[in-house]
Amino acid sequence: ENHRRFAKAVGYPVENVVLSNQVHETKILRVDEKDCGKGVVRESDIIGIDGLITNDKKVVLMTFFADCVPLFFVDTKNKAIGSSHSGWRGTVAQIGRKTVEKMKKCFGTDAKDLICIIGPSICQNCYEVSRDVAAEFEKVFKKDTERILKRNPGTADKYLLNLWGA
């Protein structure tokens, strides 16, 4: 019922929504009209997917975020969109880059034609991670480590992670 109310308030048919069961990985799925309603008004087989892309004007993509980073993509030339859920695992595995690559493969997207948005999420001052998570970011973001990770004062092995920066 909440989906119906939200859809009515925003101005789209609730039957056009497509959502997935996100699992903090980097699988991205192209969806179209045949997927409309999955997860909202009918059973969904879209399981374990953290990114959705489409060029079908009928489709309304819906992804969910708590502390995780929302990533939104609009290909202005090829009229395609994407939405990816980027927690720490998705960020370190570069789900943003993988979403752009999937859009290129499916729609011919060129990065210069994209408008990309990083939505609100947990800030660095509030996001404490353990040494093993920090080590994953150090491997991937070598030269940006100082900007992305700060040792949490007063702790021996805790760090503050800047997901926005990563």
Side-chain angles (χ1 to χ4, degrees):
E1 179 57 29
N2 286 338
H3 282 290
R4 288 185 198 288
R5 290 177 183 185
F6 184 81
K8 183 178 180 184
V10 174
Y12 61 83
V14 72
E15 296 80 14
N16 290 17
V17 172
V18 178
L19 56 90
S20 72
N21 176 344
Q22 299 158 191
V23 294
H24 294 274
E25 291 186 7
T26 60
K27 293 181 183 158
I28 298 143
L29 181 68
R30 178 183 182 171
V31 295
D32 58 29
E33 186 174 351
K34 73 178 177 349
D35 299 299
C36 283
K38 287 184 177 180
V40 179
V41 296
R42 64 187 178 112
E43 196 68 29
S44 180
D45 59 354
I46 303 174
I47 307 297
I49 302 294
D50 282 84
L52 297 171
I53 62 172
T54 191
N55 65 346
D56 188 326
K57 290 180 179 15
K58 185 174 183 180
V59 173
V60 177
L61 302 179
M62 185 174 284
T63 43
F64 299 93
F65 313 91
D67 292 345
C68 298
V69 181
L71 301 176
F72 303 108
F73 307 84
V74 178
D75 179 342
T76 58
K77 181 178 178 186
N78 295 296
K79 308 299 182 209
I81 59 171
S83 178
S84 291
H85 165 259
S86 189
W88 80 259
R89 285 180 180 88
T91 301
V92 82
Q94 301 183 8
I95 192 170
R97 178 183 54 80
K98 290 177 180 178
T99 303
V100 173
E101 289 170 354
K102 182 82 169 192
M103 290 179 74
K104 180 176 183 159
K105 180 180 176 185
C106 292
F107 313 123
T109 297
D110 186 323
K112 71 177 174 16
D113 299 319
L114 279 173
I115 296 171
C116 302
I117 300 166
I118 299 172
S121 63
I122 194 165
C123 72
Q124 184 172 21
N125 292 335
C126 299
Y127 194 26
E128 184 179 79
V129 297
S130 59
R131 178 71 199 124
D132 59 327
V133 173
E136 293 296 316
F137 279 84
E138 289 170 342
K139 284 183 216 171
V140 174
F141 298 96
K142 294 175 178 98
K143 56 188 168 190
D144 290 323
T145 299
E146 286 184 27
R147 182 175 54 84
I148 294 170
L149 289 168
K150 294 179 190 172
R151 186 173 294 275
N152 194 357
T155 67
D157 62 346
K158 299 292 183 180
Y159 295 80
L160 298 172
L161 176 59
N162 180 354
L163 284 177
W164 302 336

